[in-house]
Amino acid sequence: MMDKNLQSYEQNFTSWTDDVPTCKDSGVGSSSNEVYRKDGRRVPMHSYEDRSFRFRRDEYNLCLYGVFDGFNGAQVSDFVMKRLPAELVLGQLVPDIRDDLVKDMIRQAFVSVDKEYFGSIGDKLAARMVMRSDQQLARDSKLADLEELVSSGCAATVALILNNKIFVSNVGDCQAFLCYGGNNGITVTPLSIDHTLDNEDERLRLQHLGYKPTASNVPTTTHDSPLGPHWYTRCFGNYPVKGGYKEIACLASCGDDPVIAEPEIQGPIPVGENLELLVIATKSVCDAVQKCSNGEPQKELANLLIHHLQDEPSSSLSTVAQSTVDHIVRMYTEHEESDSTSLIKREDMTLLVRNFRHVKSDPTPGHPNTHSQPQSPNTSQPENPALIRKREEKTLTRSSARPRPTRSSTTTESSGIYVAHGHELPVDEHGRIEPYVDFGPFYKLWNEKLENGDTNHNI
C-alpha cells in the first residue's frame, strides 16, 4: 500500500492559473477506469489519473486546451495540468508574435515543466537511490512505493489558439483532430502523433542514441517494456527512462535520455469558416470507439459528437462531451459483454471539445448552432415571448456561464450549478455554493430572548 503522504502527493502542488477564465466555447467529459467483476460489481482498477484544462484570455486573443493521460499515479498529470498553463497564458504570448517563436515557447514550456517536476521530487529520488544501494533497505516496502512514484508520468496533448491560428503539441498518444463541415459531410484532420515504439521514426531516434533491441529485450506485453507500461518514447515524468536510464540494461548504451518531453508541434493552422470542432481525447476513448465500430475511430468519434450536439442544442459543451463519453462507455460495455469471455476492463477516458461555430442569422439545416437556439422554420413570424423566456431560462440553467473554481475540477465542468440528490444548487460569482439554509427564524427567536432578558442559551 502506498504511503499516505505519497497518495496525496499531487495535492501539494498549487495552481498558478486559478484566476484565468475558463473557455466557455469548450467542454470536457470523462469516465473513470473500471473492471467488471464476475459477480456484476464494478470496481476501480486504480485512482483516476487523467487531467485537463481549458483557458481563454480575450485580451491576448488566446485559448489554451490540454488533456493529460496519467500512468502509475496522477502525480505528474496533476503537476503538469497546474503548471504548464502558467508558461503560456500569463502574457508570454501576444497576437503579433512570430509563429516560430510560438513553437519555441511551447517547446520550452514542455521541457521546463518536466524538469521542474523532477526538481520537486528530488528528495524522493535521493531516498530511492539510498535504499537501492542498501541491501537491507532494498526489500523495504517503502522502496516499492518510491519506485512507483518516480515512474509516474503522463501523455499530453495541448492545443493553443492564438490570433485565430491553431498550434497542437503532444507527447505520448493522446489524440487531437479538427472537424470540418462541408457539403459532403464532416471531414477529419488528425493533428497528433503517437510517440511509442510502434512509431518507426521514434524507434530510429532511439536507435541513433544507442538503443539496440534484441530478441531478449523486445517486450511481448506492455508490462515488459523497458520504457514503461505504454512504450512511450516521449512523455512527462517517468524518471527511470530519463535521468535513470543507465540503470536499464537495454538503454544503458544510449548517449542521451532516450525518452524526452520535447513535443512535436503541428501548425499554425488557420481557423477557417468551415472549421467546426477541435477534439482532444485520451487514447482510451478512440480505442473504445474503434472496438465498437468498423470505421476510422476519429471520424466515428466526430460523428458521435455532432449527433449529441444536434440532440442537445441547449446544453453546455461539457454536457455534450459527457453525453458522448457516456454513449461510448455504453457501447463498449455492450460490445465486451457480447464478445469477451474475460473480465471487462476499461481505462480512464477524457474528451475535450472546442466548438468554432459562430452565431448566424440563418443556421444551416442539420448543423444547429450551440451558441443560440435554432431558428423557427417560419422566420417571418415572431416567436412566442413566453417560449423565448422559457428557453432562455433553460439555457441559463444548463450553460457554463457562471464561474467554477478552476482548482476544484480537473475533469468535467458540466454547468454553472452543482447537482446534489437530484436538486440543482446555484453558485455565486466566486463559484461557491450559495447558502440554502434560512437562519432567519433562529435569529428572530434569539433576538426575542435577548430583549426579554433571558440569558438561557437553550432555545
Side-chain angles (χ1 to χ4, degrees), residues 153-175:
C154 76
T157 293
V158 174
L160 170 71
I161 303 177
L162 180 65
N163 201 25
N164 288 324
K165 291 184 287 188
I166 302 173
F167 301 83
V168 174
S169 50
N170 83 290
V171 292
D173 60 1
C174 290
Q175 308 291 291

Side-chain angles (χ1 to χ4, degrees), residues 119-411:
S120 72
I121 62 169
D123 56 335
K124 304 296 189 298
L125 294 173
R128 169 181 174 267
M129 182 177 65
V130 171
M131 296 185 73
R132 284 169 64 95
S133 62
D134 190 315
Q135 292 184 353
Q136 292 183 343
L137 295 177
R139 298 181 181 180
D140 196 312
S141 61
K142 291 184 179 180
L143 178 58
D145 294 338
L146 287 172
E147 293 288 1
E148 182 178 357
L149 173 68
V150 302
S151 64
S152 175
C154 76
T157 293
V158 174
L160 170 71
I161 303 177
L162 180 65
N163 201 25
N164 288 324
K165 291 184 287 188
I166 302 173
F167 301 83
V168 174
S169 50
N170 83 290
V171 292
D173 60 1
C174 290
Q175 308 291 291
F177 57 91
L178 297 175
C179 302
Y180 292 89
N183 296 330
N184 297 325
I186 293 292
T187 58
V188 170
T189 301
L191 295 178
S192 55
I193 298 171
D194 289 353
H195 299 121
T196 68
L197 287 178
D198 292 330
N199 183 324
E200 183 178 0
D201 291 337
E202 289 296 286
R203 284 202 310 273
L204 289 174
R205 182 179 67 80
L206 264 64
Q207 290 173 10
H208 289 160
L209 289 173
Y211 171 59
K212 297 178 181 179
T214 63
S216 60
N217 64 33
V218 172
T220 56
T221 68
T222 57
H223 298 288
D224 297 330
S225 172
L227 302 185
H230 300 283
W231 302 12
Y232 290 145
T233 57
R234 302 189 190 210
C235 68
F236 283 106
N238 200 3
Y239 175 81
V241 294
K242 290 182 179 176
Y245 71 92
K246 292 292 185 181
E247 301 170 357
I248 301 174
C250 63
L251 300 176
S253 60
C254 290
D256 202 351
D257 292 0
V259 177
I260 57 178
E262 181 177 332
E264 291 201 66
I265 305 174
Q266 312 298 321
I269 302 166
V271 177
E273 292 184 358
N274 60 340
L275 177 60
E276 299 205 4
L277 302 174
L278 163 67
V279 180
I280 307 177
T282 54
K283 187 69 157 47
S284 55
V285 174
C286 292
D287 287 346
V289 172
Q290 187 173 26
K291 271 201 168 187
C292 303
S293 63
N294 297 324
E296 201 279 323
Q298 294 184 349
K299 180 67 176 293
E300 294 295 329
L301 177 56
N303 288 333
L304 279 175
L305 278 167
I306 295 298
H307 166 75
H308 284 282
L309 280 168
Q310 294 174 344
D311 196 44
E312 306 174 58
S314 300
S315 299
S316 69
L317 281 170
S318 282
T319 300
V320 171
Q322 189 61 52
S323 297
T324 304
V325 171
D326 293 341
H327 188 155
I328 294 170
V329 169
R330 288 195 301 271
M331 288 195 309
Y332 178 80
T333 303
E334 292 172 0
H335 176 271
E336 292 296 287
E337 285 177 344
S338 61
D339 292 354
S340 178
T341 57
S342 58
L343 289 177
I344 301 175
K345 301 179 182 180
R346 57 178 176 79
E347 273 295 341
D348 297 329
M349 294 183 180
T350 299
L351 173 65
L352 186 152
V353 57
R354 161 68 197 271
N355 191 0
F356 291 93
R357 296 175 182 174
H358 303 290
V359 178
K360 300 178 181 178
S361 58
D362 53 346
T364 304
H367 295 276
N369 195 311
T370 59
H371 295 281
S372 62
Q373 295 293 330
Q375 289 188 341
S376 171
N378 185 1
T379 57
S380 62
Q381 297 294 329
E383 293 189 77
N384 189 326
L387 292 177
I388 295 176
R389 284 197 303 272
K390 183 176 179 181
R391 191 170 60 197
E392 289 176 346
E393 290 171 359
K394 180 180 179 183
T395 303
L396 286 173
T397 301
R398 303 189 68 176
S399 71
S400 56
R402 297 182 181 179
R404 295 290 300 274
T406 57
R407 290 183 61 188
S408 65
S409 175
T410 55
T411 53

